[in-house]
Amino acid sequence: MRTINQEATKTNTQVMEFKQPHLFHIGENSLHTYSFTLNSDYTNILKVVHTIEQKGNFGEIVHVDFQKKKTTAPTNTASERPFLYNR
């Protein structure tokens, strides 16, 4: 969570939601899945995603859902994107 917040601050991205982790047991192995939603422009969200996957030992992002939503300002668009992140 700290890494996501740091990158979000650097890229002017908002963490809109960070759900409780899900824990799955598969035989003797455990799989932790995290789901969170970011709000920013496409490029900034890709920067956050890149950092999560490339820096540290965080695992991989298995699903990204990009949604374009118009704001009240005529020249801006904002997007909320839920992520599933496995560790």
Side-chain angles (χ1 to χ4, degrees), residues 67-81:
Q67 298 176 3
K68 185 174 182 179
K69 296 184 178 183
K70 292 186 178 186
T71 62
T72 56
T75 58
N76 290 332
T77 58
S79 300
E80 290 185 14
R81 296 166 172 105

PDB file of all heavy atoms in Angstrom, residues 67-81:
ATOM      1  N   GLN A  67     -11.716   2.510 -17.537  1.00  0.00           N
ATOM      2  CA  GLN A  67     -13.013   3.124 -17.810  1.00  0.00           C
ATOM      3  C   GLN A  67     -12.823   4.623 -17.952  1.00  0.00           C
ATOM      4  O   GLN A  67     -12.242   5.257 -17.079  1.00  0.00           O
ATOM      5  CB  GLN A  67     -13.995   2.844 -16.675  1.00  0.00           C
ATOM      6  CG  GLN A  67     -14.279   1.386 -16.484  1.00  0.00           C
ATOM      7  CD  GLN A  67     -15.177   1.138 -15.281  1.00  0.00           C
ATOM      8  OE1 GLN A  67     -15.615   2.059 -14.627  1.00  0.00           O
ATOM      9  NE2 GLN A  67     -15.432  -0.119 -15.005  1.00  0.00           N
ATOM     10  N   LYS A  68     -13.310   5.165 -19.036  1.00  0.00           N
ATOM     11  CA  LYS A  68     -13.216   6.604 -19.257  1.00  0.00           C
ATOM     12  C   LYS A  68     -14.517   7.236 -18.790  1.00  0.00           C
ATOM     13  O   LYS A  68     -15.596   6.843 -19.216  1.00  0.00           O
ATOM     14  CB  LYS A  68     -12.979   6.895 -20.737  1.00  0.00           C
ATOM     15  CG  LYS A  68     -12.760   8.349 -21.029  1.00  0.00           C
ATOM     16  CD  LYS A  68     -12.396   8.534 -22.486  1.00  0.00           C
ATOM     17  CE  LYS A  68     -12.136   9.990 -22.763  1.00  0.00           C
ATOM     18  NZ  LYS A  68     -11.749  10.195 -24.176  1.00  0.00           N
ATOM     19  N   LYS A  69     -14.388   8.218 -17.912  1.00  0.00           N
ATOM     20  CA  LYS A  69     -15.557   8.907 -17.393  1.00  0.00           C
ATOM     21  C   LYS A  69     -15.364  10.400 -17.558  1.00  0.00           C
ATOM     22  O   LYS A  69     -14.316  10.938 -17.211  1.00  0.00           O
ATOM     23  CB  LYS A  69     -15.777   8.578 -15.914  1.00  0.00           C
ATOM     24  CG  LYS A  69     -16.089   7.122 -15.687  1.00  0.00           C
ATOM     25  CD  LYS A  69     -16.382   6.849 -14.246  1.00  0.00           C
ATOM     26  CE  LYS A  69     -16.734   5.385 -14.063  1.00  0.00           C
ATOM     27  NZ  LYS A  69     -17.099   5.089 -12.697  1.00  0.00           N
ATOM     28  N   LYS A  70     -16.347  11.055 -18.079  1.00  0.00           N
ATOM     29  CA  LYS A  70     -16.252  12.500 -18.258  1.00  0.00           C
ATOM     30  C   LYS A  70     -16.511  13.211 -16.937  1.00  0.00           C
ATOM     31  O   LYS A  70     -17.318  12.785 -16.128  1.00  0.00           O
ATOM     32  CB  LYS A  70     -17.261  12.970 -19.300  1.00  0.00           C
ATOM     33  CG  LYS A  70     -16.937  12.485 -20.681  1.00  0.00           C
ATOM     34  CD  LYS A  70     -17.864  13.074 -21.702  1.00  0.00           C
ATOM     35  CE  LYS A  70     -17.444  12.583 -23.075  1.00  0.00           C
ATOM     36  NZ  LYS A  70     -18.202  13.223 -24.129  1.00  0.00           N
ATOM     37  N   THR A  71     -15.799  14.314 -16.756  1.00  0.00           N
ATOM     38  CA  THR A  71     -16.000  15.142 -15.576  1.00  0.00           C
ATOM     39  C   THR A  71     -16.873  16.326 -15.960  1.00  0.00           C
ATOM     40  O   THR A  71     -17.238  16.504 -17.110  1.00  0.00           O
ATOM     41  CB  THR A  71     -14.650  15.645 -15.026  1.00  0.00           C
ATOM     42  OG1 THR A  71     -14.022  16.445 -16.018  1.00  0.00           O
ATOM     43  CG2 THR A  71     -13.739  14.484 -14.646  1.00  0.00           C
ATOM     44  N   THR A  72     -17.160  17.187 -14.994  1.00  0.00           N
ATOM     45  CA  THR A  72     -17.988  18.360 -15.274  1.00  0.00           C
ATOM     46  C   THR A  72     -17.232  19.410 -16.077  1.00  0.00           C
ATOM     47  O   THR A  72     -17.834  20.199 -16.782  1.00  0.00           O
ATOM     48  CB  THR A  72     -18.488  18.993 -13.963  1.00  0.00           C
ATOM     49  OG1 THR A  72     -17.364  19.292 -13.142  1.00  0.00           O
ATOM     50  CG2 THR A  72     -19.423  18.036 -13.247  1.00  0.00           C
ATOM     51  N   ALA A  73     -15.900  19.417 -16.000  1.00  0.00           N
ATOM     52  CA  ALA A  73     -15.106  20.359 -16.787  1.00  0.00           C
ATOM     53  C   ALA A  73     -15.067  19.878 -18.236  1.00  0.00           C
ATOM     54  O   ALA A  73     -14.793  18.719 -18.497  1.00  0.00           O
ATOM     55  CB  ALA A  73     -13.695  20.458 -16.230  1.00  0.00           C
ATOM     56  N   PRO A  74     -15.336  20.739 -19.204  1.00  0.00           N
ATOM     57  CA  PRO A  74     -15.441  20.291 -20.596  1.00  0.00           C
ATOM     58  C   PRO A  74     -14.132  19.813 -21.213  1.00  0.00           C
ATOM     59  O   PRO A  74     -14.157  19.061 -22.156  1.00  0.00           O
ATOM     60  CB  PRO A  74     -15.955  21.526 -21.329  1.00  0.00           C
ATOM     61  CG  PRO A  74     -15.633  22.677 -20.450  1.00  0.00           C
ATOM     62  CD  PRO A  74     -15.607  22.147 -19.050  1.00  0.00           C
ATOM     63  N   THR A  75     -12.973  20.210 -20.690  1.00  0.00           N
ATOM     64  CA  THR A  75     -11.713  19.835 -21.312  1.00  0.00           C
ATOM     65  C   THR A  75     -11.004  18.695 -20.601  1.00  0.00           C
ATOM     66  O   THR A  75      -9.974  18.248 -21.059  1.00  0.00           O
ATOM     67  CB  THR A  75     -10.753  21.047 -21.345  1.00  0.00           C
ATOM     68  OG1 THR A  75     -10.545  21.497 -20.007  1.00  0.00           O
ATOM     69  CG2 THR A  75     -11.319  22.156 -22.195  1.00  0.00           C
ATOM     70  N   ASN A  76     -11.519  18.207 -19.495  1.00  0.00           N
ATOM     71  CA  ASN A  76     -10.846  17.157 -18.734  1.00  0.00           C
ATOM     72  C   ASN A  76     -11.654  15.875 -18.754  1.00  0.00           C
ATOM     73  O   ASN A  76     -12.875  15.898 -18.790  1.00  0.00           O
ATOM     74  CB  ASN A  76     -10.656  17.570 -17.272  1.00  0.00           C
ATOM     75  CG  ASN A  76      -9.635  18.662 -17.131  1.00  0.00           C
ATOM     76  OD1 ASN A  76      -8.734  18.779 -17.941  1.00  0.00           O
ATOM     77  ND2 ASN A  76      -9.774  19.463 -16.105  1.00  0.00           N
ATOM     78  N   THR A  77     -10.954  14.768 -18.706  1.00  0.00           N
ATOM     79  CA  THR A  77     -11.601  13.485 -18.450  1.00  0.00           C
ATOM     80  C   THR A  77     -10.853  12.816 -17.319  1.00  0.00           C
ATOM     81  O   THR A  77      -9.658  13.024 -17.141  1.00  0.00           O
ATOM     82  CB  THR A  77     -11.579  12.560 -19.697  1.00  0.00           C
ATOM     83  OG1 THR A  77     -10.237  12.363 -20.077  1.00  0.00           O
ATOM     84  CG2 THR A  77     -12.384  13.143 -20.837  1.00  0.00           C
ATOM     85  N   ALA A  78     -11.568  12.059 -16.560  1.00  0.00           N
ATOM     86  CA  ALA A  78     -10.965  11.321 -15.458  1.00  0.00           C
ATOM     87  C   ALA A  78     -11.348   9.867 -15.615  1.00  0.00           C
ATOM     88  O   ALA A  78     -12.369   9.545 -16.205  1.00  0.00           O
ATOM     89  CB  ALA A  78     -11.463  11.854 -14.120  1.00  0.00           C
ATOM     90  N   SER A  79     -10.532   8.998 -15.102  1.00  0.00           N
ATOM     91  CA  SER A  79     -10.797   7.574 -15.213  1.00  0.00           C
ATOM     92  C   SER A  79     -10.615   6.909 -13.870  1.00  0.00           C
ATOM     93  O   SER A  79      -9.701   7.231 -13.138  1.00  0.00           O
ATOM     94  CB  SER A  79      -9.843   6.936 -16.225  1.00  0.00           C
ATOM     95  OG  SER A  79     -10.004   7.519 -17.472  1.00  0.00           O
ATOM     96  N   GLU A  80     -11.493   5.983 -13.592  1.00  0.00           N
ATOM     97  CA  GLU A  80     -11.337   5.125 -12.431  1.00  0.00           C
ATOM     98  C   GLU A  80     -11.052   3.742 -12.962  1.00  0.00           C
ATOM     99  O   GLU A  80     -11.730   3.256 -13.857  1.00  0.00           O
ATOM    100  CB  GLU A  80     -12.601   5.109 -11.568  1.00  0.00           C
ATOM    101  CG  GLU A  80     -12.837   6.417 -10.855  1.00  0.00           C
ATOM    102  CD  GLU A  80     -14.007   6.346  -9.925  1.00  0.00           C
ATOM    103  OE1 GLU A  80     -14.472   5.236  -9.639  1.00  0.00           O
ATOM    104  OE2 GLU A  80     -14.440   7.393  -9.484  1.00  0.00           O
ATOM    105  N   ARG A  81     -10.038   3.097 -12.412  1.00  0.00           N
ATOM    106  CA  ARG A  81      -9.636   1.804 -12.923  1.00  0.00           C
ATOM    107  C   ARG A  81      -9.414   0.821 -11.784  1.00  0.00           C
ATOM    108  O   ARG A  81      -8.487   0.990 -11.008  1.00  0.00           O
ATOM    109  CB  ARG A  81      -8.354   1.963 -13.732  1.00  0.00           C
ATOM    110  CG  ARG A  81      -8.619   2.836 -14.957  1.00  0.00           C
ATOM    111  CD  ARG A  81      -7.333   3.284 -15.575  1.00  0.00           C
ATOM    112  NE  ARG A  81      -7.607   3.937 -16.837  1.00  0.00           N
ATOM    113  CZ  ARG A  81      -7.547   5.247 -17.014  1.00  0.00           C
ATOM    114  NH1 ARG A  81      -7.232   6.043 -16.038  1.00  0.00           N
ATOM    115  NH2 ARG A  81      -7.796   5.764 -18.195  1.00  0.00           N
TER     116      ARG A  81
END
